């Protein structure tokens, strides 16, 4: 008696869930690790920026690899399960958009990234537009924006349950709590972060900038209000 070969569909069905779980772990890790990543000030000049940029790009690259693997294991297009558009005229296109409001978000974000690619290709300083003027403080170059885009698309196309939403909110809340705790230790002078100049000014926590710190705390508070409203 010879063993029958396993159907390809069964192998694909078994392989897809662990890929989706791994992608969720990665974007939850990004929600916590990217804001909190920091290096000792005596290791490098850009102690707050470089670890965050490196973490963002590495996590986005891993998500892109998993997403490609998921596509290779399936018989559908990369976005077919979520987008599924076939051009049948403007009325059908408007109907397609209104069926799922998130499709409009995906469309506008994709158009934005397309313009980013075009502007980079036509830039007089191509390599600066592609990867930034510095390998550390590189601004909004195509490389970094593509990492944000991959992270965003992977989340909006794979978050399908309320449990995933709550886990994301929990990760963001955890980030705000840990950042606040670091700021408290900094305020009490139990933890020295930054340079001698920055320590004389406002609290910066793990962000190297008080404005970024405040923005993250504001985002965290907004997420907490959202979760409270949904629970009532």
């Amino acid at each position: 008696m010879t063993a029958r070969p396993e159907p390809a569909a069964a192998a694909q069905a078994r392989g897809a869930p662990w890929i989706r779980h791994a992608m969720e772990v990665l974007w939850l890790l990004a929600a916590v690790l990217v804001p909190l990543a920091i290096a000792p000030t005596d290791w490098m000049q850009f102690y707050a920026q470089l670890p965050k940029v490196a973490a963002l790009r590495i996590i986005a690259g891993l998500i892109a690899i998993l997403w490609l693997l998921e596509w290779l294991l399936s018989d559908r297009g990369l976005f077919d399960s979520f987008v599924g558009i076939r051009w049948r005229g403007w009325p059908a296109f408007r109907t397609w958009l209104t069926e799922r409001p998130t499709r409009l978000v995906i469309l506008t974000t994709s158009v934005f990234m397309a313009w980013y690619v075009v502007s980079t290709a036509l830039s007089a300083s191509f390599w600066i537009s592609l990867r930034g003027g510095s390998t550390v403080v590189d601004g909004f170059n195509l490389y970094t924006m593509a990492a944000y885009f991959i992270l965003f698309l992977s989340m909006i196309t794979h978050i399908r349950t309320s449990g995933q939403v709550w886990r994301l909110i929990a990760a963001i809340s955890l980030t705000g709590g840990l950042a606040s705790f670091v700021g408290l230790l900094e305020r009490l002078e139990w933890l020295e972060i930054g340079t001698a100049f920055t320590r004389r000014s406002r609290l910066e926590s793990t962000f190297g900038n008080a404005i970024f710190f405040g923005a993250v705390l504001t985002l965290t508070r907004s997420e907490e209000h959202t979760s409270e409203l949904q629970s009532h």
Side-chain angles (χ1 to χ4, degrees):
M1 183 176 180
T2 59
R4 298 177 61 183
E6 182 180 24
Q12 295 168 1
R14 193 178 66 246
W18 75 263
I19 295 177
R20 291 194 292 269
H21 293 329
M23 292 175 68
E24 181 180 0
V25 170
L26 286 173
W27 73 58
L28 293 177
L29 183 63
V32 177
L33 182 60
V34 173
L36 298 179
I38 193 172
T41 56
D42 55 348
W43 284 17
M44 60 189 69
Q45 179 181 3
F46 301 102
Y47 57 93
Q49 294 89 344
L50 179 57
K52 292 175 174 55
V53 172
L56 172 66
R57 292 179 174 180
I58 291 173
I59 292 175
L62 292 175
I63 290 177
I65 293 173
L66 288 174
W67 204 348
L68 180 61
L69 183 60
E70 182 186 41
W71 172 64
L72 292 175
L73 291 176
S74 67
D75 56 354
R76 298 174 299 183
L78 196 58
F79 303 101
D80 285 353
S81 60
F82 192 84
V83 180
I85 182 173
R86 292 182 178 86
W87 180 253
R88 296 175 181 174
W90 285 109
F93 179 72
R94 288 195 298 268
T95 303
W96 174 83
L97 280 180
T98 55
E99 287 177 353
R100 296 183 185 178
T102 48
R103 289 174 173 171
L104 180 61
V105 178
I106 294 177
L107 180 63
T108 53
T109 309
S110 300
V111 171
F112 174 77
M113 275 306 301
W115 278 113
Y116 236 95
V117 172
V118 172
S119 63
T120 300
L122 300 178
S123 175
S125 303
F126 175 77
W127 291 110
I128 294 179
S129 299
L130 180 65
R131 59 180 179 83
S134 170
T135 56
V136 180
V137 188
D138 54 355
F140 297 100
N141 55 76
L142 182 60
Y143 190 5
T144 302
M145 293 304 298
Y148 284 122
F149 185 61
I150 291 172
L151 188 62
F152 165 77
L153 273 188
S154 67
M155 293 171 63
I156 200 171
T157 57
H158 288 80
I159 293 181
R160 300 174 181 175
T161 66
S162 59
Q164 290 176 304
V165 175
W166 283 111
R167 286 190 289 272
L168 180 60
I169 293 176
I172 296 174
S173 300
L174 176 63
T175 300
L178 292 176
S180 300
F181 181 69
V182 173
L184 176 62
L185 296 180
E186 185 183 5
R187 179 67 179 84
L188 297 174
E189 298 183 354
W190 292 355
L191 183 64
E192 293 186 354
I193 297 179
T195 63
F197 174 77
T198 58
R199 284 196 294 268
R200 290 196 300 266
S201 60
R202 296 171 293 179
L203 300 179
E204 60 183 40
S205 187
T206 61
F207 302 93
N209 187 302
I211 297 177
F212 295 162
F213 182 28
V216 170
L217 294 182
T218 302
L219 172 64
T220 303
R221 193 57 187 161
S222 300
E223 292 292 342
E224 292 175 355
H225 282 309
T226 302
S227 61
E228 290 173 1
L229 290 174
Q230 290 180 348
S231 61
H232 290 293

